[in-house]
Amino acid sequence: MVESAGRNLRREQASFMHVDELGGLGVLQATYRRQTFSRHSHEGFCVGVIDDGAQRFYRTGGEHVAPLGSIILVNADDIHTGSAASEDGWSYQAMYPTPELLTFLSRDLKNGAGATPYFPHPVVHDVGVAGQLRLAFSLLRSDENRLLKETMVFSALTWLMLRHGKSRIEPAPQSKAQSQVTQVKAFLDDFPEADISLLELAERVGLSPYYLLRQFQLATGLPPHAYQIQARLRKARQMLKAGHGVLDSALSSGFHDQSHFHRHFRKSMGITPGDYVKSLK
């Protein structure tokens, strides 16, 4: 293909994956120039963020344009299309949560609790939620732990429902879950190396993930994934004090490699694990 000199062109590429630890959640990262999607529908929702260019698509009986920074929302079973709305195409990231997942996450919302949500607007402009979604996408493609990934994804989707669902809904008032938070905190303290998800923690104590997340952070000052990192660092320091090597301490404490351990250790302690070991001599 011969293109005119000086034109800013992007190559077409697409990467799709299923995130096993999130129930096989589908995630797409793509750049399209001439791609055209015919009318189709998905069994799940489509939640996307435009990273570059602009996309044109049909949904809810009309044509819509999603520019840079906007959020695309397609409800489950909505008939829709997709094509470029700018000369050089568009780049975006999208996830496809199931109706069952969003119904579960809506369990503790004041209005429409436990019901499948509906997004009336195909394109929304919300810098805060778009930022949360971008962070979630970046984590889904990283080696970070399941708890952190679920926390970011579930938080972003919940705020999306709160702000842009059919009903302007707010968190339902509930009694404080002090005993449940204590149980979760004790589990993370006793088993910091456990590769446990937010959903699994919530099921252990009979709360929804969103409510557990809010109450845990209120009680401890940290979300569960950040608290887990601190618990892992405590165990690693104990192992280092006991004479274990840096790599052994990292892996046994739940860090997936030495670099991961090094990064969090330095952020927490201001020194490297090696410097810490030297300080013990």
Side-chain angles (χ1 to χ4, degrees):
M1 183 187 302
V2 178
E3 303 288 356
S4 60
R7 246 175 112 184
N8 180 22
L9 298 174
R10 53 175 69 90
R11 296 171 61 89
E12 289 211 348
Q13 55 186 354
S15 171
F16 190 91
M17 68 177 184
H18 288 96
V19 184
D20 293 336
E21 59 263 47
L22 284 172
L25 176 70
V27 179
L28 172 70
Q29 183 176 39
T31 295
Y32 295 124
R33 295 191 63 242
R34 295 183 172 85
Q35 172 73 27
T36 299
F37 293 96
S38 60
R39 292 197 176 195
H40 64 287
S41 64
H42 303 289
E43 294 179 355
F45 289 76
C46 176
V47 177
V49 179
I50 302 294
D51 292 326
D52 200 6
Q55 180 186 9
R56 184 186 310 278
F57 65 103
Y58 168 91
R59 199 214 97 175
T60 320
E63 293 286 335
H64 311 277
V65 173
L68 173 66
S70 62
I71 300 171
I72 297 173
L73 297 172
V74 179
N75 297 294
D77 297 323
D78 269 353
I79 301 297
H80 60 288
T81 62
S83 61
S86 60
E87 184 179 1
D88 290 333
W90 82 102
S91 296
Y92 74 127
Q93 302 177 81
M95 66 175 73
Y96 301 87
T98 64
E100 292 78 15
L101 174 60
L102 295 191
T103 299
F104 182 82
L105 293 178
S106 75
R107 194 173 68 179
D108 292 303
L109 302 180
K110 183 181 296 183
N111 298 318
T116 303
Y118 178 79
F119 298 106
H121 302 296
V123 180
V124 298
H125 302 272
D126 189 320
V127 174
V129 175
Q132 288 189 57
L133 286 168
R134 283 200 177 93
L135 177 57
F137 284 124
S138 68
L139 290 171
L140 287 173
R141 288 184 165 80
S142 75
D143 292 328
E144 292 290 350
N145 64 67
R146 296 171 62 196
L147 186 53
L148 174 58
K149 289 180 182 180
E150 277 199 351
T151 297
M152 294 298 104
V153 171
F154 289 177
S155 293
L157 290 176
T158 299
W159 275 110
L160 192 66
M161 290 188 289
L162 284 167
R163 294 172 65 86
H164 303 290
K166 188 172 183 179
S167 299
R168 293 290 177 171
I169 46 184
E170 299 175 355
Q174 298 190 25
S175 58
K176 291 185 178 180
Q178 184 174 354
S179 63
Q180 290 95 327
V181 168
T182 300
Q183 291 176 53
V184 171
K185 183 174 177 292
F187 177 86
L188 295 176
D189 285 335
D190 293 340
F191 306 100
E193 71 282 357
D195 183 19
I196 193 167
S197 70
L198 181 64
L199 180 59
E200 289 167 344
L201 284 175
E203 288 178 341
R204 276 176 166 266
V205 295
L207 298 176
S208 74
Y210 177 65
Y211 189 60
L212 172 61
L213 177 62
R214 292 177 61 235
Q215 292 298 319
F216 191 95
Q217 184 157 359
L218 186 64
T220 68
L222 293 171
H225 71 270
Y227 187 89
Q228 184 187 53
I229 291 294
Q230 296 307 308
R232 288 178 173 180
L233 288 170
R234 285 195 297 271
K235 179 175 180 177
R237 287 196 298 269
Q238 292 170 0
M239 292 186 67
L240 292 173
K241 287 180 180 179
H244 293 270
V246 172
L247 180 58
D248 181 32
S249 299
L251 298 179
S252 297
S253 300
F255 295 98
H256 54 75
D257 59 31
Q258 191 165 327
S259 175
H260 187 222
F261 174 48
H262 184 284
R263 183 170 73 253
H264 284 291
F265 196 98
R266 190 178 182 91
K267 284 182 179 179
S268 176
M269 298 290 293
I271 58 174
T272 67
D275 291 334
Y276 184 77
V277 170
K278 291 177 183 177
S279 73
L280 299 173
K281 296 178 180 179

